[in-house]
Amino acid sequence: MPAHDSTESFDKHPSLIIRELHPFNAGPPPELLRRAFITPQELFFVRNHAPVPAIDAADYRLPVKGLAQNALSLSLDELRRFPKHEVMATLQCAGNRRDVMTAIRPVSGELPWGAEAISNAIWGGARLRDILDAARVEGEARHVAFLGLDEIKKKGARFGFGGSIPIEKALSPEVILAYEMNGEALAPVHGGPLRVVVPGYIGARSVKWIGEVTLQTDPSDNYYQARSYKLFPPQTTVDDADWERGLMLGELSVNSFITSPVEGAVVEDGTIAVQGYATAGGNRRVERVDLSIDGGATWTTATLDDDADATQSWAWRFWEAQLDLPTGAHTVVARAWDSAANTQPADASTIWNFKGYMNNAWPRVTFKVR
Ligand code: MTE
């Protein structure tokens, strides 16, 4: 399949931090991340494992097959005839905040993401559930696998990016086959004409340029489900990893980041506004964010913005606290709590893994008050 040249065809913001040009991988810097609760498409982070495929919308069809009594092959027009739903959901890559792990011990062959592999959008499209209902799911189906139309080249093989989610999640109302993002047509770089959006799960399960949906008994055997996006203990190395035993990533864990002040900033004496974002995974919600300026001995509770109402559990939450700090250097740390009372570990070294996934350790920022 022909592919776009990643550098030429994207309408992306000039301030994006570009982690890789071919394929294109980029995200918004901390000062822009929290500027808008709903991230504009041109600022929304991009995670591509291969070039963006060129897809002719007129010829496009989505097969829905496997353990289905009524296998389907749907054109975009047919997909648009299913009721349209909008879901606000934050996408977050499992590699978000990897830079902290990389600073502890090298993580080879992975993008050195800071805290910018995350963004929030309103996704519009058909519910996957409605399409699966039309395909009449058979009783033995336990997982729904997705395959992208991009072309990954690995060890002499060529295949599309893929992954799967359990059938219970696939039938949940928030899982969307999206053709719109923030009320606009879904841009090719974000998976247009059609992508899956799986709120509450690592970004990798939200397969872009979806070319196939398969109902099956087992999780996908695609490289990105069976070999990548698996979590190992700190002592495991790439050479001794038993891929069968790695934890297959699905739901995100609770996380947060301090967007302001930025690391190394010099701020004026007085009341300092400390701001950031926090996220929860699965069906959970961010309930509280605490801040400490003494390494966790004492804590102050931040104010959570109410941009997303209580029903929008798929969106990040913005938070802010005003701190009165004397002149000198300060290190502020944050920790979020979710609705299951999970919170973040203090130190990334305790959760370090050779792929650098799921860093949700307390974010830390050191700055100076003058
Ligand atoms: N789907 C395909 N087909 N190819 C990809 O490389 N990357 C995945 C996911 N879906 C990917 C994909 C990963 S790892 C993430 S984090 C999200 O897309 C990123 O979506 P975005 O680029 O719209 O932010």
Side-chain angles (χ1 to χ4, degrees):
M1 175 157 307
H4 293 290
D5 178 344
S6 342
T7 49
E8 286 171 2
S9 39
F10 309 142
D11 192 9
K12 279 285 167 190
H13 198 284
S15 307
L16 287 188
I17 302 172
I18 297 178
R19 298 290 177 190
E20 191 177 26
L21 263 181
H22 301 286
F24 191 66
N25 282 288
E31 46 294 2
L32 290 184
L33 251 180
R34 199 185 175 285
R35 190 165 286 180
F37 188 71
I38 294 169
T39 318
Q41 282 213 49
E42 70 274 12
L43 257 186
F44 202 100
F45 86 101
V46 177
R47 175 69 181 109
N48 288 339
H49 289 79
V52 173
I55 298 170
D56 181 352
D59 291 346
Y60 176 87
R61 297 203 81 84
L62 178 68
V64 182
K65 58 192 188 58
L67 296 168
Q69 285 165 17
N70 182 36
L72 304 169
S73 171
L74 300 167
S75 68
L76 285 170
D77 281 345
E78 286 164 338
L79 278 152
R80 282 173 194 275
R81 276 185 224 129
F82 285 86
K84 182 178 150 191
H85 293 274
E86 289 198 327
V87 173
M88 189 196 289
T90 298
L91 283 194
Q92 181 172 190
C93 188
N96 193 33
R97 305 189 56 219
R98 175 178 288 130
D99 58 343
V100 179
M101 288 196 171
T102 312
I104 296 168
R105 258 189 285 159
V107 171
S108 67
E110 300 291 335
L111 294 170
W113 290 114
E116 74 279 1
I118 183 168
S119 299
N120 187 40
I122 298 174
W123 307 94
R127 277 186 176 145
L128 178 59
R129 175 168 87 181
D130 291 347
I131 286 149
L132 295 181
D133 283 350
R136 302 225 303 276
V137 179
E138 289 179 15
E140 318 87 88
R142 289 282 166 271
H143 297 268
V144 179
F146 312 117
L147 186 62
L149 292 168
D150 46 353
E151 192 180 78
I152 314 278
K153 293 180 190 145
K154 234 177 225 314
K155 295 183 183 149
R158 290 163 183 250
F159 53 93
F161 180 97
S164 62
I165 56 174
I167 188 82
E168 297 77 16
K169 180 69 178 178
L171 294 173
S172 298
E174 70 275 10
V175 180
I176 298 286
L177 292 185
Y179 44 78
E180 280 181 13
M181 187 174 174
N182 299 339
E184 301 161 358
L186 181 65
V189 73
H190 290 298
L194 195 74
R195 78 174 300 168
V196 192
V197 175
V198 186
Y201 272 51
I202 59 165
R205 305 304 175 229
S206 290
V207 174
K208 304 196 273 191
W209 317 293
I210 180 148
E212 204 173 281
V213 173
T214 310
L215 287 143
Q216 51 195 57
T217 50
D218 294 307
S220 166
D221 61 4
N222 187 277
Y223 177 88
Y224 293 96
Q225 183 90 27
R227 292 295 297 260
S228 209
Y229 296 105
K230 283 196 163 178
L231 193 68
F232 290 91
Q235 69 277 15
T236 302
T237 66
V238 67
D239 299 322
D240 61 19
D242 174 355
W243 292 97
E244 296 298 311
R245 300 191 62 189
L247 190 164
M248 197 176 262
L249 294 174
E251 291 186 357
L252 286 159
S253 48
V254 62
N255 209 344
S256 67
F257 184 68
I258 301 166
T259 52
S260 168
V262 293
E263 178 67 27
V266 178
V267 295
E268 294 305 321
D269 194 4
T271 305
I272 317 297
V274 181
Q275 298 181 320
Y277 67 72
T279 55
N283 292 339
R284 299 172 292 281
R285 235 174 92 72
V286 172
E287 291 291 345
R288 201 178 85 212
V289 174
D290 301 330
L291 295 179
S292 174
I293 51 159
D294 53 16
T298 60
W299 297 90
T300 305
T301 299
T303 306
L304 288 169
D305 289 2
D306 49 11
D307 291 295
D309 68 41
T311 57
Q312 292 287 9
S313 54
W314 319 112
W316 56 11
R317 293 196 82 179
F318 284 179
W319 54 265
E320 172 163 2
Q322 307 291 331
L323 301 182
D324 283 317
L325 296 173
T327 52
H330 297 279
T331 297
V332 60
V333 300
R335 65 174 188 200
W337 294 80
D338 71 14
S339 45
N342 296 306
T343 192
Q344 304 178 235
D347 193 342
S349 63
T350 61
I351 51 171
W352 187 94
N353 58 95
F354 71 86
K355 296 286 272 180
Y357 292 139
M358 305 296 271
N359 175 28
N360 70 337
W362 297 351
R364 278 162 222 273
V365 167
T366 299
F367 60 97
K368 221 179 238 170
V369 176
R370 70 161 177 224

